[in-house]
C-alpha cells in the first residue's frame, strides 16, 4: 500500500548558522515540509531542484549574501515567482530598502518571534495560492475561447488581435490599467456561445434563411449561459462582452436591443475592435479592406453601430493597431 503523499507547502530555510535553522525548524516543522541550506550556492541549487513554495533567507552570509541569492532567484524564470522573506538582525531602513530592491516580499528581524514567523509564512503562502487560482481561472477563460475558435471559420490570430485592439482602446478611453488587462483576457470569450450553434448553421457557405439567422442570433445568450454569473473580474467582463457585443449604439442590435450607454462599455469597446479586425482580414467570402477604408466605415457608423466617443478615440490609434496586425498575422 502506497503511503499518503505529504501535500504540505514546502519551505526553504537558508542560514549559515545551524542554530538559527534549528530555531526555525522547531517553529515550522509541524505545518510544513522543510528544506535547508547553509550557504547561498546550496540555496540556489535546492531552489532550482525542489521549487519550494517560499524561502526564508538570512542576509549576512559569507560568499553569496542574502541579497545576491535573492537577486539570483528573481533572475531565474524557474524560481522568480517564489516569495522570499529575509530573516536578519539588520534593522536599518537602508538594509530593508536593499532587500526589497533585491526582490524580497518582507523582513523578519532576529531574534525571531514564533507567532510572527508563522503569521508571515501563512500570509505569503495565501497570496501564492490566490495567484495560482487567478492564473488557473484565466487559463480556463482562454481555453474556452480557443474552443469557440474550433467552431468558427475565424483564426486564432483574429481573437488575439481584436483583444489587443480592445485593450488599447480601453486605455485610450481612460479605463484603468487593471481593468484594461482584464478586458484583454475577457475579449477572446466574445463568441464562446457559438459552441452551442449547430455546424450546419455556423459553417453554411451561403446566406442564412430567417430560421437559421434566428438560431445564429442566440449565440450571445448561449455564451452568457456558458460563462455564468460572476461578481467581478475577468469572468464578469467575459459574460458581459459575450452577451452584448452585438448590441448597437442606435438600439438596432441584438439580443436585447440595448442603446447608447445602456450597452456596457466593455461590449462597446469589443464590438468596435472586433469589426475593425474582421474588415481588415481576409475571409473566404471577401478580401481584406485597407485599414483606412475600415476606419472610414467605422467613422460612418458612429452613432449608429458604434459609440461615437469610442470611434473618435479609436482613429488616432491606427499606427498601434497596424503594429498589432503585423505582430499577429494570420
Amino acid at each position: 500500500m502506497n503511503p499518503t503523499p505529504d501535500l504540505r507547502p514546502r519551505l526553504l530555510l537558508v542560514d549559515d548558522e545551524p542554530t538559527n535553522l534549528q530555531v526555525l525548524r522547531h517553529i515550522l516543522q509541524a505545518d510544513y515540509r522543510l528544506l535547508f541550506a547553509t550557504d547561498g550556492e546550496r540555496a540556489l541549487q535546492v531552489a532550482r531542484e525542489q521549487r519550494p513554495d517560499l524561502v526564508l533567507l538570512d542576509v549576512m552570509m559569507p560568499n553569496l549574501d542574502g541579497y545576491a541569492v535573492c537577486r539570483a532567484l528573481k533572475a531565474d524564470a524557474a524560481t522568480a515567482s517564489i516569495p522570499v522573506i529575509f530573516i536578519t538582525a539588520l534593522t536599518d531602513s537602508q538594509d530593508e530598502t536593499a532587500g526589497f530592491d533585491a526582490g524580497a516580499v518582507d523582513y523578519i528581524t532576529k531574534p525571531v518571534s514564533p507567532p510572527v514567523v508563522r503569521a508571515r509564512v501563512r500570509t505569503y503562502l495565501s497570496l501564492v495560492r490566490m495567484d495560482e487560482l487567478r492564473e488557473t481561472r484565466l487559463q480556463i477563460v482562454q481555453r474556452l475561447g480557443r474552443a469557440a475558435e474550433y467552431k468558427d471559420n475565424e483564426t486564432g490570430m483574429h481573437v488575439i488581435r481584436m483583444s489587443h485592439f480592445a485593450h488599447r482602446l480601453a486605455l485610450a478611453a481612460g479605463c484603468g490599467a487593471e481593468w484594461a488587462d482584464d478586458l484583454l483576457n475577457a475579449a477572446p470569450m466574445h463568441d464562446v456561445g457559438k459552441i452551442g450553434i449547430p455546424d450546419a448553421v455556423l459553417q453554411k457557405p451561403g446566406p442564412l434563411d430567417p430560421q437559421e439567422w434566428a438560431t445564429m442570433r442566440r449565440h450571445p445568450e448561449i455564451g452568457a449561459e456558458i460563462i455564468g454569473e460572476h461578481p467581478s473580474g475577468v469572468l464578469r467582463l467575459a459574460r458581459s462582452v459575450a452577451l452584448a457585443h452585438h448590441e448597437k449604439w442606435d438600439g438596432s442590435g441584438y439580443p436585447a436591443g440595448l442603446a447608447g450607454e445602456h450597452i456596457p462599455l466593455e461590449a462597446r469597446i469589443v464590438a468596435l475592435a472586433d469589426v475593425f479586425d474582421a474588415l481588415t482580414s481576409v475571409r473566404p467570402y471577401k478580401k481584406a479592406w485597407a485599414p483606412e477604408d475600415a476606419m472610414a466605415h467605422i467613422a460612418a457608423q458612429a452613432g449608429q453601430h458604434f459609440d461615437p466617443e469610442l470611434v473618435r478615440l479609436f482613429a488616432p490609434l491606427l499606427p498601434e493597431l497596424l503594429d498589432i496586425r503585423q505582430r499577429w498575422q494570420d
Side-chain angles (χ1 to χ4, degrees):
M1 186 174 179
N2 293 329
T4 303
D6 188 347
L7 301 179
R8 294 176 300 168
R10 198 158 32 181
L11 311 182
L12 172 58
L13 313 181
V14 186
D15 199 303
D16 63 318
E17 291 289 342
T19 303
N20 293 335
L21 292 178
Q22 283 294 96
V23 171
L24 291 174
R25 181 187 66 79
H26 180 72
I27 295 170
L28 298 166
Q29 65 182 348
D31 300 310
Y32 305 101
R33 291 176 291 166
L34 303 180
L35 306 165
F36 301 95
T38 56
D39 62 74
E41 291 289 350
R42 177 61 180 162
L44 293 174
Q45 180 183 353
V46 173
R48 293 180 188 119
E49 292 175 355
Q50 301 295 326
R51 304 290 177 85
D53 297 289
L54 186 144
V55 178
L56 294 173
L57 178 61
D58 184 30
V59 172
M60 302 301 292
M61 296 188 296
N63 301 321
L64 279 183
D65 65 12
Y67 300 138
V69 172
C70 190
R71 284 192 292 269
L73 290 171
K74 298 304 170 183
D76 187 337
T79 55
S81 63
I82 302 171
V84 176
I85 298 175
F86 279 129
I87 297 186
T88 178
L90 300 175
T91 57
D92 190 275
S93 61
Q94 290 184 336
D95 297 316
E96 293 184 358
T97 299
F100 291 130
D101 288 345
V105 297
D106 208 347
Y107 259 90
I108 298 175
T109 57
K110 296 178 181 178
V112 298
S113 162
V116 169
V117 172
R118 295 190 193 100
R120 300 284 177 83
V121 168
R122 280 196 304 269
T123 295
Y124 287 101
L125 289 178
S126 294
L127 293 174
V128 169
R129 283 192 290 270
M130 288 174 61
D131 287 342
E132 290 173 348
L133 182 61
R134 190 178 298 112
E135 179 63 24
T136 299
R137 186 183 295 122
L138 181 56
Q139 289 179 11
I140 292 170
V141 169
Q142 293 169 340
R143 296 302 174 186
L144 277 172
R146 289 293 303 277
E149 292 168 26
Y150 280 98
K151 291 279 287 182
D152 209 347
N153 61 4
E154 294 176 342
T155 71
M157 293 298 104
H158 162 71
V159 173
I160 293 172
R161 287 193 301 265
M162 60 82 64
S163 298
H164 281 280
F165 296 163
H167 178 258
R168 291 299 308 135
L169 180 54
L171 293 175
C175 302
E178 184 175 349
W179 191 92
D181 287 345
D182 282 349
L183 184 61
L184 172 69
N185 291 302
M189 295 280 283
H190 69 293
D191 272 340
V192 71
K194 289 182 177 179
I195 292 173
I197 303 300
D199 288 349
V201 173
L202 192 62
Q203 299 175 1
K204 184 178 179 179
L208 301 179
D209 64 32
Q211 184 175 356
E212 291 167 335
W213 181 237
T215 299
M216 176 66 86
R217 284 163 63 106
R218 287 201 63 241
H219 81 268
E221 294 166 301
I222 294 171
E225 291 169 8
I226 289 172
I227 297 168
E229 297 275 2
H230 303 273
S232 62
V234 172
L235 287 174
R236 188 201 67 78
L237 284 180
R239 183 185 189 278
S240 177
V241 165
L243 184 60
H245 71 285
H246 282 295
E247 303 287 359
K248 295 184 179 180
W249 186 259
D250 64 4
S252 64
Y254 64 92
L258 301 177
E261 293 186 357
H262 292 291
I263 305 168
L265 175 60
E266 56 268 20
R268 284 180 267 149
I269 290 172
V270 167
L272 203 164
D274 189 28
V275 168
F276 177 78
D277 192 69
L279 291 175
T280 54
S281 299
V282 175
R283 292 289 181 268
Y285 50 85
K286 74 169 190 69
K287 296 180 179 179
W289 290 28
E292 294 76 15
D293 293 338
M295 280 293 189
H297 172 80
I298 288 170
Q301 288 293 309
Q304 299 174 53
H305 190 161
F306 304 115
D307 178 340
E309 177 61 15
L310 292 180
V311 171
R312 184 185 69 80
L313 296 169
F314 195 63
L317 298 176
L318 184 58
E320 295 177 61
L321 307 181
L322 295 180
D323 286 344
I324 292 168
R325 282 205 65 85
Q326 180 65 29
R327 182 179 179 187
W328 303 105
Q329 299 182 59
D330 291 328

